[in-house]
């Protein structure tokens, strides 16, 4: 079975919001840049997956993130946290299934070495957990721009009866600066 999904372009509304935030937020310094991120999920998930990884078959993701690029080049630590981000996970019909965002509790995002990660570590109790994340592996010295076919979406959630578990590969991802 062949699956070809074209990359989704950011809407003008999302791009305008991301640019507006980077220009008006005083906490973001002149070394910060905003990037667009987009990519495709594989047509099948890991054997044994349930829930969200299955719903993402042939789907995609898109969004924006802001990071201090100077910190990426000069930081003595290998992890630099993003200052702003929103990434939407879409099924093959372009329906948003989940969103990773700085505005959501329990969400974090970073660049560590060549890894761009967006993580939701929401609810954790003895009965329920809500963890999922998107990890993209770029070439070494990643500073926000590049493409890759190496990445994974991992889900370890169990909220009531809505259990979701497993992985789905990323077949292509691209990150580029928003001018």
């Amino acid at each position: 079975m062949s699956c070809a999904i074209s990359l989704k372009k950011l809407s003008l509304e999302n791009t305008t919001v991301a640019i507006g935030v980077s220009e008006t937020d005083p906490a973001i310094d002149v070394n910060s840049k905003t990037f667009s991120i987009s990519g495709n999920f594989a047509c099948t998930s890991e054997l044994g997956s349930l829930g969200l990884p299955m719903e993402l078959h042939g789907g995609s993701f898109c969004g924006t993130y802001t990071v201090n690029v100077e910190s990426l080049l000069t930081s003595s630590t290998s992890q630099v946290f993003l200052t702003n981000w929103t990434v939407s996970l879409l099924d093959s019909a372009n329906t948003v299934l989940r969103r990773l965002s700085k505005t959501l509790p329990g969400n974090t995002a970073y660049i560590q070495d060549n890894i761009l990660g967006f993580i939701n570590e929401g609810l954790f109790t003895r009965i329920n957990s809500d963890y999922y994340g998107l990890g993209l592996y770029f070439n070494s010295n990643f500073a926000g721009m590049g493409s890759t076919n190496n990445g994974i979406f991992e889900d370890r959630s169990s909220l009531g009866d809505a259990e979701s578990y497993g992985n789905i590969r990323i077949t292509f991802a691209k990150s580029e600066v928003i001018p």
Side-chain angles (χ1 to χ4, degrees):
M1 180 169 102
S2 173
C3 179
I5 303 294
S6 63
L7 289 175
K8 316 293 182 289
K9 291 191 176 203
L10 290 173
S11 71
L12 181 57
E13 178 183 86
N14 287 346
T15 304
T16 304
V17 169
I19 291 170
V21 168
S22 68
E23 290 177 351
T24 60
D25 188 344
I28 298 174
D29 64 37
V30 295
N31 293 320
S32 291
K33 288 188 180 180
T34 300
F35 296 86
S36 66
I37 185 75
S38 58
N40 298 324
F41 294 106
C43 294
T44 60
S45 52
E46 178 183 275
L47 188 62
S49 294
L50 307 168
L52 187 56
M54 301 288 287
E55 295 174 42
L56 292 173
H57 286 179
S60 62
F61 59 91
C62 63
T64 61
Y65 67 93
T66 303
V67 65
N68 180 317
V69 291
E70 183 69 23
S71 293
L72 291 173
L73 301 172
T74 61
S75 178
S76 60
T77 65
S78 63
Q79 189 174 58
V80 176
F81 288 95
L82 307 185
T83 56
N84 198 12
W85 68 92
T86 299
V87 176
S88 298
L89 309 177
L90 300 98
D91 65 13
S92 60
N94 293 328
T95 303
V96 175
L97 300 179
R98 294 282 194 286
R99 193 165 270 129
L100 294 153
S101 173
K102 180 176 181 168
T103 62
L104 299 173
N107 280 221
T108 189
Y110 59 87
I111 295 175
Q112 182 173 0
D113 300 322
N114 65 326
I115 301 167
L116 173 58
F118 301 94
I119 309 294
N120 170 47
E121 294 179 308
L123 175 68
F124 279 108
T125 68
R126 266 184 17 178
I127 301 168
N128 291 312
S129 66
D130 187 19
Y131 167 86
Y132 52 89
L134 178 65
L136 305 169
Y137 309 96
F138 290 91
N139 291 329
S140 61
N141 300 320
F142 176 68
M145 292 185 52
S147 62
T148 185
N149 60 1
N150 189 5
I152 194 164
F153 173 78
E154 179 182 21
D155 190 352
R156 302 286 181 263
S157 300
S158 60
L159 297 172
D161 294 333
E163 190 168 337
S164 190
Y165 180 87
N167 302 318
I168 188 166
R169 282 186 332 97
I170 306 304
T171 59
F172 181 78
K174 178 170 66 172
S175 179
E176 55 192 357
V177 70
I178 297 175

